[in-house]
């Protein structure tokens, strides 16, 4: 007779399936041959109650987009932190990488494990008072950002280079084998175009740090830092279904306490449901089979953890005070002129509050136009999307970034509306533009301008060129009322180095005091 | 040393043999000093044939026009690898006239297969994002709907660009060009006829830019001469100009139906300049108004004089 699989088998199977689903959704977060996407990685963020609550606090109304997250929270009220053990892709990857990294079993000072509660409080208070922090600590944001900005592009680069080598220098018999393989990879796994990102390294370092923390402890991040885990843990305190030890203090061999990956079992074999992620290791490994999963009386819950009253009040006070320090910098009034936000982005304050820095818009952006901001929007704006036209331009008919944004920081707009959203306006630098500066024909910008009536037009002028001959050249100029700042002109300008036509955020329509009017020569003011 | 000598002798013998063979094949040596009638140039002393047809049924129209200039069999022989190069440069639907009509491309592909082509490849290096252009233009869906293993509509593979010298180039001396375009047995250029800010009109010569790698914007500095130089390397076996829709203003992208003239016309010729010249007339311009065509004619790359072009019209 075949043995029935151990309980951990089902947990592992679930982890693998959710991870595969996650990776499939991630790779799918790309143009799929139609204007509308079907299925993208934003699903993950929409079930995340940490993001759901903090974004709702920022918006001061319930954000419907993230309604599904309430179901996850509800399920934790019933069955504890099942999500952390059975589904979370970050947790699964940490479990998978643990054998590679290996954990020393150092004693971690107890206060460390309170970090997560502190973060949870400060994230919520900060969200309420205008300091958006959730994106820097939410596990999905860290993971998707790291994958989008560094791991996936680097993987693609490595594969492309390998197959370019075999294609260009390999013998035919080798290509006979490698080319079909390359075609499969290219069609199903690799991105369509190699992407590059401004903050590829920081995003990778943050993600790798989470993995390196496994050195200290198994699931170090989940136990001590993850604010989502802390939130689900608080719900789990009330959960009636949980892992029980039927005979606490049995022989006190301590084996269960040793093997528990989240430190949920104390020396007496009591289970803290706030920490337990239902991995079922104890069920399987207790020599006396003392553990089981079932309905428990609430009274048996171990002493709940959390911040002391003093720490709680201190954290809340800090959460209230710090946002005001951020508010007194000039960039709140005089934003960086070259900071272009994606089309449909909400007004800056609200945008920063809603954006969870997940990088999904950058993953889906088919022009590789969206990049993580460094400090141009303040340190609290790090990793928010900005459009850098010289690297990539906003495709006129494309609306994908608004479709994938999990929190509506970038509004979902139909193409006809998106094409009217001004994200900035182009200015010609006549000192560099060839027809002006050197009397050389060009007008590549005019050729590419996608607005149907051409926001870039040209006049024919007679001009003396460097050889001293008078020739007639076509000189481009921008019509402000038609320019939407897509940046294709700056992108395609054939000058080496800096473009001779530059897009600045002047006149962007999200700042309604300016709207679509003509006064684009004055700095837009934040309201 | 012996080993080395062997290889050297082999190379020398091979060179000698192939030289003598090619000399025999070229007998009697038709080398002439007169460039106007140089060998291999599509300017025979007789009239150049250009087929021009009009009709709203595009598959039928394309078939008729190709028949006017000898049928597809005159260009595609069994076993050939055929490249069809439409204009897919922008993310616009076919009715905007910025890209070649999918039915024109599809019919040509069908005809090439009927004439015995082993493989038909369709591609263009787009200006907007490639997948959007391929889909929105309707060309990729039209080809995929044929579900043929012989006809493939492919995205550009960046590994296939090769550095090519342009010995006859007056301005352009070398550039990277897509390998499939250079290696095709039969290259069918299928531009869409449209207005273009710098070039005046975008026709066959301009459409050649779609097989170029690198920073193509740089070519705009001497666009006319560069396009002519390019035409010394990229020599279409057949040029089919899609003027079913003509983008008259705000080209080469357009985006407004007001700027599009539905003209239901297709032009075909083995002579790229003659085809461009006839298409120019559709816009009410004379062929010598398009700089690139004039520059190419100055290099004897085809016929521009209307009195040497015999227009065969249908219906």
């Amino acid at each position: 007779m075949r043995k029935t699989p151990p309980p951990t088998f089902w947990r592992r199977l679930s982890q693998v399936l959710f991870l595969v689903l996650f990776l499939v959704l991630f790779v799918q977060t790309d143009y799929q041959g139609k204007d509308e996407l079907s299925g993208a990685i934003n699903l993950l963020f929409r079930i995340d109650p940490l993001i759901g609550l903090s974004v709702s606090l920022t918006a001061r109304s319930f954000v419907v987009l993230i309604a599904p997250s309430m179901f996850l929270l509800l399920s934790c009220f019933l069955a504890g932190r099942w999500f952390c053990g059975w589904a979370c892709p970050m947790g699964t990857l940490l479990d998978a990488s643990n054998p590679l990294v290996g954990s020393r079993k150092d004693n971690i000072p107890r206060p460390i494990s309170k970090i997560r509660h502190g973060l949870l409080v400060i994230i919520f208070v900060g969200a309420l008072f205008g300091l958006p922090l959730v994106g820097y600590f939410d596990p999905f944001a860290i993971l998707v950002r790291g994958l989008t900005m560094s791991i996936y592009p680097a993987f693609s680069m490595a594969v492309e280079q390998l197959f370019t080598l075999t294609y260009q220098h390999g013998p035919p018999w080798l290509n006979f084998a490698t080319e079909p393989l390359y075609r499969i990879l290219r069609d199903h796994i690799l991105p369509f175009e190699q992407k590059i990102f401004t903050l590829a390294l920081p995003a990778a370092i943050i993600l790798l740090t989470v993995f390196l923390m496994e050195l200290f402890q198994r699931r170090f991040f989940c136990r001590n830092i993850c604010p989502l885990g802390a939130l689900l843990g608080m719900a789990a305190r009330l959960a009636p279904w949980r892992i029980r030890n039927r005979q606490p203090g049995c022989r006190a061999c301590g084996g269960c306490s040793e093997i528990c990956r989240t430190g949920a079992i104390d020396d007496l074999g009591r289970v803290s449901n706030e920490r337990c992620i239902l991995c079922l290791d104890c069920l399987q490994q207790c020599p006396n089979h003392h553990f089981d999963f079932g309905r428990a009386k609430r009274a048996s819950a171990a002493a709940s953890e959390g911040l002391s009253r003093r720490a709680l009040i201190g954290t809340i006070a800090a959460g209230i005070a710090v946002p005001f320090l951020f508010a007194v910098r000039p960039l709140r009034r005089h934003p960086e002129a070259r900071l272009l936000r994606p089309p449909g982005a909400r007004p800056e304050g609200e945008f920063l509050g809603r954006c969870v820095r997940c990088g999904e818009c950058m993953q889906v952006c088919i022009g590789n136009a969206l990049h993580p901001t460094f400090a141009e929007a303040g340190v609290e704006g790090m990793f928010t999307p900005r459009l850098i036209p010289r690297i990539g331009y906003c495709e006129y008919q494309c609306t994908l970034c608004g479709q994938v944004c999990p929190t509506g920081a970038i509004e979902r707009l139909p193409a006809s509306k998106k094409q009217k959203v001004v994200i900035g306006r182009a200015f010609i630098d006549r000192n560099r533009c060839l027809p002006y500066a050197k009397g050389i024909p060009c007008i590549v910008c005019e050729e590419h301008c996608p607005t149907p009536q051409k926001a870039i037009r040209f006049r024919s002028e007679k001009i003396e060129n460097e050889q001293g001959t008078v020739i007639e050249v076509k000189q481009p100029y921008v019509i402000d009322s038609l320019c939407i700042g897509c940046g294709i002109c700056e992108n395609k300008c054939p000058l080496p180095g800096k473009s001779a036509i530059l897009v600045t955020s002047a006149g962007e329509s999200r700042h309604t005091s300016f709207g679509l009017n003509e006064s684009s020569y004055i700095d837009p003011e934040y309201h | 040393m012996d080993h080395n000598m062997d290889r050297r002798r082999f190379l020398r013998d091979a060179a000698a043999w192939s030289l003598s063979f090619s000399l025999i094949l070229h007998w009697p040596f038709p080398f002439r000093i007169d460039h106007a009638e140089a060998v291999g140039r599509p300017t025979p002393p007789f009239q150049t044939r250009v087929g021009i047809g009009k009709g709203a049924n595009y598959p039928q129209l394309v078939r008729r026009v190709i028949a006017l200039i000898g049928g597809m069999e005159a260009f595609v022989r069994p076993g050939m690898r055929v490249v069809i190069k439409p204009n897919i440069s922008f993310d616009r639907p076919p009715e905007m006239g910025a890209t070649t009509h999918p039915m024109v491309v599809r019919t040509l592909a069908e005809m090439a297969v009927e004439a015995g082509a082993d493989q038909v490849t369709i591609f263009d290096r787009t200006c907007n994002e490639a997948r959007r252009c391929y889909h929105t233009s309707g060309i990729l869906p039209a080809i995929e709907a044929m579900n043929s293993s012989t006809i493939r509509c492919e995205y550009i593979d960046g590994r296939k660009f090769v550095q090519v010298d342009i010995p006859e180039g007056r301005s352009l001396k070398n550039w990277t060009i897509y390998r499939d375009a250079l290696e095709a047995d039969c290259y069918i250029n299928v531009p869409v006829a449209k207005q273009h800010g710098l070039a005046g009109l975008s026709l066959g010569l301009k459409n050649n830019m779609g097989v170029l790698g690198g920073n193509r914007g740089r070519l705009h500095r001497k666009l006319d001469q560069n396009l002519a130089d390019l035409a010394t390397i990229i020599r279409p076996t057949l040029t089919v100009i899609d003027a079913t829709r003509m983008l008259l203003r705000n080209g080469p992208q357009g985006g407004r139906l007001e700027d599009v003239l539905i003209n239901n016309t297709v032009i075909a010729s083995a002579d790229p300049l003659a085809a461009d010249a006839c298409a120019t007339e559709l816009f009410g311009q004379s062929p010598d108004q398009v700089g690139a065509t004039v520059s190419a004619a100055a290099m004897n790359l085809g016929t521009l004089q209307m009195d040497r072009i015999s227009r065969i019209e249908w219906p």
Side-chain angles (χ1 to χ4, degrees), chain A residues 30 35 163-164 167-168 179 192 393 395 397 434 440-442 444 447-450 452 454 474 492 494, chain B residues 91-92 127-129 131-132 135 155 159-160 196-198 215 217-218 220-221 250-253 256:
Chain A
D30 191 4
D35 288 341
F163 287 100
T164 303
Y167 178 79
Q168 288 177 343
E179 279 307 286
F192 184 72
Y393 65 93
E395 195 72 58
Q397 318 254 26
L434 291 176
I440 295 174
C442 183
V444 174
E447 174 180 8
H448 286 96
C449 180
K454 292 274 180 206
K474 292 165 175 166
K492 304 275 183 182
Chain B
D91 180 17
R92 295 284 193 224
C127 293
N128 292 145
E129 206 262 351
R131 289 169 299 176
R132 284 206 63 94
H135 277 101
Y155 294 116
R159 306 173 304 168
K160 288 190 180 175
H196 186 282
L198 188 62
N215 175 356
R218 263 176 54 201
H220 278 214
R221 287 165 210 184
N250 294 321
Q253 273 205 68
R256 291 198 310 167

Side-chain angles (χ1 to χ4, degrees), chain A residues 97-405:
Chain A
S97 70
N98 186 273
L100 301 174
V101 181
S103 310
R104 298 188 319 204
K105 298 225 160 77
D106 286 347
N107 270 332
I108 304 292
R110 254 192 99 65
I112 296 274
S113 72
K114 291 187 177 171
I115 292 178
R116 64 188 204 277
H117 292 109
L119 283 175
L120 185 63
V121 172
I122 214 160
I123 283 171
F124 284 154
V125 177
L128 199 58
F129 286 88
L131 180 63
L133 289 173
V134 63
Y136 303 109
F137 300 104
D138 180 82
F140 305 155
I142 294 175
L143 181 58
V144 173
R145 199 166 63 212
L147 284 181
T148 295
M149 293 174 198
S150 45
I151 309 293
Y152 191 46
F155 167 73
S156 148
M157 181 75 84
V159 173
E160 290 281 347
Q161 283 193 355
L162 174 67
F163 287 100
T164 303
L165 188 75
T166 59
Y167 178 79
Q168 288 177 343
H169 304 288
W173 58 264
L174 182 67
N175 276 298
F176 189 73
T178 52
E179 279 307 286
L181 176 65
Y182 173 66
R183 206 159 296 139
I184 293 171
L185 285 171
R186 195 188 56 194
D187 291 350
H188 300 291
I189 295 176
L190 296 179
F192 184 72
E193 294 273 5
Q194 176 69 49
K195 285 190 177 178
I196 47 175
F197 289 102
T198 50
L199 298 191
L201 284 179
I205 289 168
I206 292 173
L207 182 60
L208 289 180
T209 307
V210 172
F211 281 86
L212 287 178
M213 286 190 293
E214 287 285 292
L215 279 173
F216 305 119
Q217 229 176 21
R218 290 182 78 183
R219 293 258 194 165
F220 182 95
F221 178 79
C222 314
R223 286 159 83 144
N224 303 314
I225 300 189
C226 182
L228 174 61
L231 179 66
L232 298 184
M234 281 165 73
R237 283 185 192 176
L238 304 173
W241 281 280
R242 53 178 63 189
I243 300 287
R244 300 175 300 190
N245 185 347
R246 284 172 296 195
Q247 279 181 305
C250 55
R251 280 185 338 199
C253 74
C256 45
S257 158
E258 281 275 291
I259 57 160
C260 181
R261 66 184 69 203
T262 54
I265 306 176
D266 63 13
D267 298 340
L268 297 172
R270 290 178 305 185
V271 183
S272 151
N273 208 39
E274 192 172 346
R275 290 169 162 252
C276 174
I277 59 170
L278 287 91
C279 73
L280 308 186
D281 280 352
C282 51
L283 243 78
Q284 189 171 321
Q285 294 186 33
C286 174
N288 298 322
H289 306 288
H290 279 166
F291 292 92
D292 73 346
F293 177 75
R295 212 185 150 120
K297 282 169 272 163
R298 201 172 293 166
S300 74
S304 56
E305 313 179 48
L307 300 178
S308 64
R309 186 178 300 158
R310 187 181 297 178
L312 180 68
I313 292 172
T315 314
I316 291 177
I320 296 173
V322 171
F324 290 96
L325 297 179
F326 282 81
V328 293
R329 294 159 304 157
L331 58 86
R332 285 282 171 95
R333 269 189 224 163
H334 304 280
E336 167 77 35
R338 293 280 279 154
L339 182 69
L340 307 173
R341 294 301 194 181
R346 289 169 191 269
E348 188 69 7
E350 202 184 337
F351 175 75
L352 286 177
R354 284 205 184 210
C355 174
V356 291
R357 284 79 163 151
C358 63
E360 254 192 280
C361 49
M362 306 173 208
Q363 162 74 6
V364 86
C365 179
I366 54 177
N368 197 189
L370 295 181
H371 289 265
T373 307
F374 184 53
E376 294 85 352
V379 276
E380 75 278 29
M382 196 183 290
F383 289 117
T384 54
R386 69 182 290 208
L387 191 130
I388 304 183
R390 200 55 170 155
I391 305 177
Y393 65 93
C394 179
E395 195 72 58
Y396 188 62
Q397 318 254 26
C398 172
T399 57
L400 295 178
C401 54
Q403 290 181 41
V404 298
C405 182

